[in-house]
Amino acid sequence: MDLGDFLPAYLTEVEELLGAANAHLLALETVIRQGQASPRIARELFRALHTIKGLSAMVDVEPIVSIAHWMEAALRHANQAGGRLAESSIEPLMEGLRAIEQRVRQLADDKPVSAAPQGLLERLEGLEATASGASAKPPPPVSLELEPALAAKLAPGEQEQLLAGVTAGRRAVRLDYVPSAERAAQGLTINSVRERLGRLGELVKVVPLAGPTTGGGNLTFVLLVLTEASDAELLESLGGPPATLRSLASVTPAEPLPATPLPLDLPVLEEEEEEPSAEPRRGGVLRVEVARLDDALEKLAALVVNRSKLARAVAVLTAAGAPTRDLVLVLQENARQLRDLRASILHLRMVRLREVLERMPLLVRGLRRTTGKQVRLELEVGDAELDKAVADRLLPALIHLVRNAVDHAIERPEERRAAGKPEEGVVRLVCHARSSGRLELCVIDDGRGVNAAAVAARAQAPVPTSSAELLELLCRPGLSTRAAADATSGRGMGMDIVKRVTVDQLGGELHLETKPGVGTTFTLHVPLTITIVDAFVFECAALRYAVAVSAVEEIIEVDPARLVRPPGMAEGGVTLVERRGMAIPLIPLERLLRRDTDRSGPGLKAFIVRQRGAPVAFAVDRLMGQQEIVLRPLEDPLVKVPGVAGATDLGDGQPTLVLDLSALGASRASTARPERMARRGEAQ
């Protein structure tokens, strides 16, 4: 069998392990700086490197095996020493991860894999001695009450983990779970027990012990947990009796129990101890290639279009007087099933935002090193999810915003001290899911704020008088406040990319709030998905269009009696319409589309859409309904027009434009302004 057959699975597995290893190493660095140790993090990092080494040996990538081996050697001692690692070890380990990532990319690009750097290998080899010294630290003044047979099952690092947890104020408890067929029928298995306990504390080890049990079985799972939960909560998570609980920590300081030394050439993971073959595994994760999900979505899109065709055919039959009552019922049921199928497929495509951003702390760490600034990143994204396609497009925009915040906004320590701020700056990335099918992301810094005058001078433009105008200047292609580019920024591409991704590609919104000396907030509103969306279908100037439901704040009736026409209408001014006591601009859509109509006034319906944060009403002739549409983006630059998100087939086989009203209004406003100024000039 060709080893190349394993390559896609190898790359997927190693990329995930590298992501986890980076996160663990950053967490370990934070713990070390706090003067503490974390046996769990050290062990997880060690396991990730150990698995990378094993997988790489399987596909014969010797440079990665060598690098992972020496990293693993250093971490093995840290694991045995209860997670203690010298702070000076972090940088070489980080360098090792970067070297592995580089070689994985080479492998993925079908390029020759570079040899392992000798200097790096020597530095990593030197870490082993440092880590060995750290393992000689005396034990903490608490002891564990473990039976010799159970103690022999624990690695020294796991005993250290329990002792460290007790020292930190948590309880170390032993829970005995006895599986049975009756419990399995109730959905209570060792897997579900692990999940329940994982929510109540830190599960250190699961050890299966063979022998007679009180329930008549011959297998007991011993679960060692660090927790702050009550005994009742813990026992309930095991389904109650015959489960038992006992404390592991001794209140009297004592010598640690002897433990079986961990041979250097054996892995810590002992998979055969954790799962019995008699109980089938439930749940878990199934990896699926994105291309397969795209194919499923494409087939769903074809079904959605076909259903629209069917609905039109039924409507024609009904109009002709044919008996279509039963057919309509089937059609309604089909629509419901399609909606369910759509929800299921889109759910499969959703990825956790936290996983998308898992490399962001690494980015900030690198920027901290290259800029010499003290800054930390705080992620507050909760459990937010979004479509894989949206996530892939959004990530570069967020990277640019975070990079700009560190490079341009956060001041150097001495400048922050002089301003009465903490030396360490903060960049926060906050996410809120909105009920309209959109996600709100904010990149917030506590830096110096944006100097509007400096930006205007750089752009050779008047000083902006509002945040929206300042944002327009910042997003001008090629504009940079830097006199010269460096490795981090200065090429004038960042904000232009952020706007193109957020507004042009995703049909979202981008806002800016900044205050000198206090900080800056960039807010992005983006849709959760962009392929199959619910849309309003409407008519304007005898043509049909669609607009995404998530982009529309409200639909109002246009009452001609409540319109306000301020002076200057002849020079291109806009009509105002009253909306709950507030006057907002009312723009006839046919004017933006430059189409003629027989009407003398605006249409009878209007969509309220946020444009640069302010509500704007777009008048149309007739609202025809709401339906699911398949959004096909216009990729050809010759037909790509600002304000047109794409095209769709409503079932009649004819392309219908899907409008981005906010972008359409903004683009027309930017072109109308010079025209008005020209007309005024001619009038004078």
Side-chain angles (χ1 to χ4, degrees), residues 496-558:
D496 178 35
I497 292 175
V498 172
K499 183 185 177 186
R500 271 194 280 129
V501 168
T502 308
V503 179
D504 300 340
Q505 297 181 13
L506 296 177
E509 301 172 37
L510 177 65
H511 304 290
L512 163 71
E513 292 295 332
T514 185
K515 191 172 182 181
V518 177
T520 302
T521 298
F522 286 95
T523 303
L524 295 78
H525 294 159
V526 296
L528 297 179
T529 184
I530 54 175
T531 305
I532 300 179
V533 298
D534 289 315
F536 292 120
V537 180
F538 62 94
E539 191 173 83
C540 180
L543 286 180
R544 284 183 309 163
Y545 301 93
V547 61
V549 170
S550 62
V552 177
E553 188 169 296
E554 186 180 354
I555 300 175
I556 63 172
E557 301 282 346
V558 177

Side-chain angles (χ1 to χ4, degrees), residues 23 114 127 157 163 175 303 367 502 529 537 564 568 642 653 656-657:
S114 304
L127 294 182
L163 290 169
L175 290 152
L303 284 175
L367 290 170
T502 308
T529 184
V537 180
V564 179
T656 298
L657 293 180

Side-chain angles (χ1 to χ4, degrees), residues 150-164:
L150 182 58
K153 295 283 186 181
L154 297 183
E158 290 164 340
Q159 294 198 35
E160 287 281 353
Q161 184 178 354
L162 290 168
L163 290 169

Side-chain angles (χ1 to χ4, degrees), residues 599-617:
R599 279 186 288 98
S600 58
L604 299 177
K605 299 279 186 182
F607 293 112
I608 307 294
V609 173
R610 288 276 166 182
Q611 185 176 310
R612 295 174 180 171
V616 177

Side-chain angles (χ1 to χ4, degrees), residues 96-174:
L97 289 178
R98 288 197 297 270
I100 293 177
E101 287 176 338
Q102 183 185 15
R103 282 148 186 80
V104 169
R105 283 198 299 272
Q106 290 172 342
L107 204 59
D109 295 338
D110 200 22
K111 296 178 179 176
V113 177
S114 304
Q118 190 58 37
L120 172 62
L121 294 181
E122 291 173 358
R123 285 193 293 279
L124 292 173
E125 188 177 0
L127 294 182
E128 187 179 8
T130 305
S132 299
S135 64
K137 191 172 180 177
V142 292
S143 62
L144 298 175
E145 296 179 347
L146 293 171
E147 299 167 4
L150 182 58
K153 295 283 186 181
L154 297 183
E158 290 164 340
Q159 294 198 35
E160 287 281 353
Q161 184 178 354
L162 290 168
L163 290 169
V166 174
T167 304
R170 290 189 289 177
R171 294 195 303 147
V173 297
R174 164 181 170 168

Side-chain angles (χ1 to χ4, degrees), residues 359-526:
R359 296 183 65 81
M360 207 64 88
L362 206 59
L363 169 72
V364 173
R365 185 183 186 279
L367 290 170
R368 199 165 54 212
R369 190 177 64 250
T370 55
T371 63
K373 296 179 179 178
Q374 296 183 26
V375 56
R376 72 173 186 274
L377 176 69
E378 295 181 354
L379 293 177
E380 301 173 24
V381 298
D383 295 327
E385 296 180 331
L386 72 172
D387 190 290
K388 179 75 169 60
V390 177
D392 288 346
R393 297 187 189 188
L394 187 63
L395 183 58
L398 295 176
I399 287 176
H400 279 296
L401 289 175
V402 171
R403 190 193 301 271
N404 282 351
V406 176
D407 200 34
H408 294 286
I410 299 296
E411 309 93 333
R412 294 193 174 280
E414 57 273 16
E415 189 180 346
R416 293 181 64 86
R417 279 197 306 273
K421 295 180 177 180
E423 290 187 359
E424 186 180 55
V426 179
V427 177
R428 296 171 59 218
L429 209 163
V430 182
C431 175
H432 302 286
R434 298 172 65 187
S435 58
S436 58
R438 293 204 158 202
L439 212 59
E440 180 182 279
L441 295 113
C442 300
V443 179
I444 308 164
D445 69 69
D446 67 344
R448 58 172 65 91
V450 180
N451 187 332
V455 174
R458 198 73 187 170
Q460 297 182 343
V463 177
T465 57
S466 67
S467 295
E469 291 181 3
L470 177 57
L471 182 61
E472 283 293 324
L473 274 187
L474 288 172
C475 295
R476 183 178 290 185
L479 177 70
S480 173
T481 54
R482 281 279 179 83
D486 58 17
T488 307
S489 58
R491 295 168 182 78
M493 299 293 291
M495 288 308 302
D496 178 35
I497 292 175
V498 172
K499 183 185 177 186
R500 271 194 280 129
V501 168
T502 308
V503 179
D504 300 340
Q505 297 181 13
L506 296 177
E509 301 172 37
L510 177 65
H511 304 290
L512 163 71
E513 292 295 332
T514 185
K515 191 172 182 181
V518 177
T520 302
T521 298
F522 286 95
T523 303
L524 295 78
H525 294 159
V526 296

